[in-house]
Amino acid sequence: MAEPLTGRNYSRVFVPTYNAVIGFVFLAATALYFYQLHFLKRVTGEKRPLLSGQVIAPAKGARLVYRRVRSALLYQPPGRYLEANGTMFVVALYLGLNALYCFYGDATESARILGNRFGLVSVVNLPIMFLLGSKTGLLVQWTGWSHEGYNILHRHAGRVVCLTAIGHVVAFTKPYGRRTLGEYVMRSTRIGVGGGLPLLAFVIILATSFAPARNKAYEIFLYAHVWFLVAGIVLLYFHYARCRPYCIAASVIFLWDRFNRYKNAKTLNATTTVLSGNTVKLSMNLHSTARDIHWQTGQYVYVTISKLAPFQAHPFTIASPPNPNSLDLIIRARKGFSKTLFLSESQEHSVTFHGPYGSPPQFHGMSKVILLAGGAGVAYSYPEAVELARTMPDVEVDFFWVVPQRDFVSWVDMDPKYNVDFKVWVTAEQGRPDISQYVKDSVAAANGAPVAVAVCGPSPLVRASRNACASLLWKGSDVEFYSENFGW
């Protein structure tokens, strides 16, 4: 007769199967990305059909079904905190998997069993949370997922860790009669110090990690996120012996990430130029360091200016095409570091940055690339347009930038020498553009040839262009979509 799946027997089954499922997902993502890079070759041909008026037939059969599946996954429903269907599907699978392991079998028959389940799920997810939060980890390069994609998964993994840790402590209060939670937590040194204080750290991290709190006090969130997490891991190590392998694994990932940041850090001299719209351009002189610095359009770096915000590293998309002289960033002043930099009286700064990171999209085989930008989103779209025109002259580049005021065009050099048709839409003069219709019309002008749409800007702009591409995919058009944005 098989032993019941409780206590150690349950953990012996849970740990390998849970890690196998999570590992399979990442291996599948890595294999798919490798296949797309090395085996999925598009047939390149004429930018326009050979015969005037010739239109490439829309997809049919299995190809149409494939594009409609992609359409359904790409679509982003209305709602401030809703992501694309594909992202929410992955998150739902992850949360459902953890719920299954928490409540499977006889978990609800005993508060002690349920508490053990919560505790086990919390610590097993610790290394996963750290891996998804790593900025220099191999997964970033292996899977091709965007910074935003990793950040979304990291946030949900963090919530699972914190909420199950709270559930672990709450469930363990029941077997001790009428004792209060405070009396239970202080019952012994092992529980009071090893369990109560890590719980307090996780509660603080959870409370400061929600979007309203992050947006209003990012610096507080950043410091709490790092230091309370480190303290929580150290204290959790002494809470229970079976927590230690996961605490060690999480610590190794954290230290490896920090070591790589330190190893790859470059310190350069930089100057700032104040632009319109409470914006500043930070130009780093590449000749001020002996280290070679190379990047691709679409990559980003983490920047620290110790005199303004020590121990803070902020991500920014590189706003200049690859060149040997200057690496430029366009920084919109909001709160904290960006506002301090904008208001700084000094125009000379010593800047430390690490990177570049990111797996920017590849547009090989595309007939046309539509680049959409809103405000500071031009930091991605502008260098991409210039580099595409230089390296892939057979590809038609459709550049469309939405700005609130006309003087924003001074942010970048729109010289005709770049052979890019720069189109600027000024909302103060022309109202809000119909982005969805613009994307559909621009794709239709390609006469059925493969088109890529890349967007960087505010959420409404990203959502409108994403859903326009989803609609086109549903109808059989050959469209690829890519968004570049940072969320916290």
Side-chain angles (χ1 to χ4, degrees), residues 42-45 362-368 392 395 449-451 478:
R42 288 180 172 269
V43 178
T44 57
Q362 302 296 319
F363 299 118
H364 299 293
M366 292 295 170
S367 170
K368 185 176 188 177
M392 302 174 65
V395 175
V451 177
D478 190 359

Side-chain angles (χ1 to χ4, degrees), residues 43 52 99 128 132 167 180 194 217 228 236 240 245 263 267 279 333 379 386 415 429-430 440 445 452 479:
V43 178
S52 177
I128 297 172
L132 291 169
T180 65
F228 279 103
L236 191 62
Y240 194 61
K263 182 183 69 173
T267 301
T279 303
V386 172
D415 196 296
E429 303 170 4
Q430 301 166 277
K440 293 176 181 178
V479 179

Side-chain angles (χ1 to χ4, degrees), residues 213-271:
R214 292 198 314 268
N215 295 335
K216 290 183 179 180
Y218 172 74
E219 272 72 19
I220 294 177
F221 154 76
L222 184 63
Y223 285 121
H225 202 68
V226 175
W227 296 114
F228 279 103
L229 195 56
V230 171
I233 293 297
V234 172
L235 292 167
L236 191 62
Y237 179 88
F238 297 100
H239 170 59
Y240 194 61
R242 296 178 68 191
C243 296
R244 293 176 182 177
Y246 307 104
C247 293
I248 292 172
S251 300
V252 168
I253 295 170
F254 177 80
L255 293 173
W256 178 254
D257 181 59
R258 295 287 163 166
F259 171 76
N260 279 332
R261 293 193 197 187
Y262 174 79
K263 182 183 69 173
N264 297 326
K266 301 101 175 170
T267 301
L268 305 91
N269 298 327
T271 59

Side-chain angles (χ1 to χ4, degrees), residues 162 165-167 169-170 181 185 194-204 232 236:
C162 294
I166 295 171
V169 172
V170 172
L181 176 62
V185 169
L197 293 182
L199 176 65
L200 177 62
F202 288 151
V203 168
I204 293 174
L236 191 62

